[in-house]
Amino acid sequence: MSRIGRKPIVIPAGVTVTVDEAAHSVTVKGPKGSLNSNYHPLMTVKVEGNEVLVTRPNDEPKARSLHGLTRSNIANMVNGVVHGYEKKLEIVGVGLRCQKQGSNLVMNLGFSHQVNIPDTEDCTIVWQDPNHFTVTGIDKQKVGQYAAEIRAKKPPEPYKGKGIRYEGEVVKHKEGKAGKGKK
């Protein structure tokens, strides 16, 4: 049995979980909002008391791989509607900075133009200072995807480390031409 799949998901107070077995979907409503997700037809999801249980029909490799995944996805939905998720990003480099203008994050990244990043209906950008901002939301997958799209505007380069990176991300530096040495 999958250790993760066997663990029941405890439903906190103020959260409602409804399972539609015909459509194979789970809806989670909480203080921060509502999330809906589909799960694979092989899995069985049941709400018993204040717990959600995910079971699988057999020990086939396909069912085993989906068991822990389904349980983790539902647990992330429950956590998202209660606490939410955030990804912290930082801008490193001389002349690189950002600022919030209305619902847009305007970034100067060394290009000939400014880069505008709007808030979406699922993700909000919280600005702290010219070099730090945070992407927040209730859906873990969408927050991570949006943060990755922002980071892709100017990923950290390996020689000086300039660019947008996740907070705490370690960028491996290369030496460059002068560091090659003689034969």
Side-chain angles (χ1 to χ4, degrees):
M1 266 316 239
S2 167
R3 290 184 184 178
I4 294 173
R6 271 188 302 176
K7 288 174 64 175
I9 304 164
V10 178
I11 303 171
V15 175
T16 58
V17 178
T18 54
V19 178
D20 184 5
E21 291 184 25
H24 301 291
S25 69
V26 177
T27 304
V28 181
K29 293 181 183 170
K32 290 200 175 228
S34 175
L35 291 173
N36 188 9
S37 177
N38 295 329
Y39 60 90
H40 198 275
L42 276 178
M43 297 295 108
T44 305
V45 179
K46 292 180 183 169
V47 178
E48 294 181 2
N50 68 338
E51 292 181 340
V52 179
L53 300 174
V54 179
T55 56
R56 66 177 186 230
N58 52 34
D59 280 345
E60 302 269 328
K62 177 88 171 168
R64 289 176 53 187
S65 65
L66 290 169
H67 192 195
L69 173 74
T70 305
R71 189 254 176 220
S72 293
N73 286 343
I74 296 170
N76 288 340
M77 290 167 56
V78 170
N79 189 25
V81 298
V82 174
H83 303 294
Y85 289 100
E86 66 177 21
K87 283 278 191 178
K88 295 182 178 185
L89 289 99
E90 59 186 1
I91 299 175
V92 177
V94 177
L96 307 183
R97 61 187 177 277
C98 66
Q99 61 185 1
K100 191 82 170 177
Q101 291 179 352
S103 65
N104 289 340
L105 183 73
V106 179
M107 297 190 293
N108 295 328
L109 299 176
F111 302 133
S112 61
H113 60 281
Q114 292 181 331
V115 178
N116 291 328
I117 309 279
D119 287 348
T120 64
E121 58 185 39
D122 300 317
C123 300
T124 308
I125 299 171
V126 180
W127 180 82
Q128 283 107 14
D129 61 55
N131 292 331
H132 296 87
F133 61 94
T134 305
V135 178
T136 61
I138 62 172
D139 191 342
K140 186 175 187 177
Q141 192 269 331
K142 288 181 180 174
V143 169
Q145 180 66 36
Y146 200 56
E149 288 171 6
I150 293 172
R151 182 183 179 275
K153 300 290 183 191
K154 186 156 182 100
E157 52 95 16
Y159 296 102
K160 293 185 180 177
K162 292 182 179 181
I164 302 171
R165 63 175 81 168
Y166 298 115
E167 193 171 90
E169 179 182 0
V170 177
V171 177
K172 206 168 184 182
H173 289 283
K174 291 183 178 178
E175 285 192 22
K177 286 184 184 179
K180 276 193 164 183
K182 298 179 182 176
K183 290 186 179 180

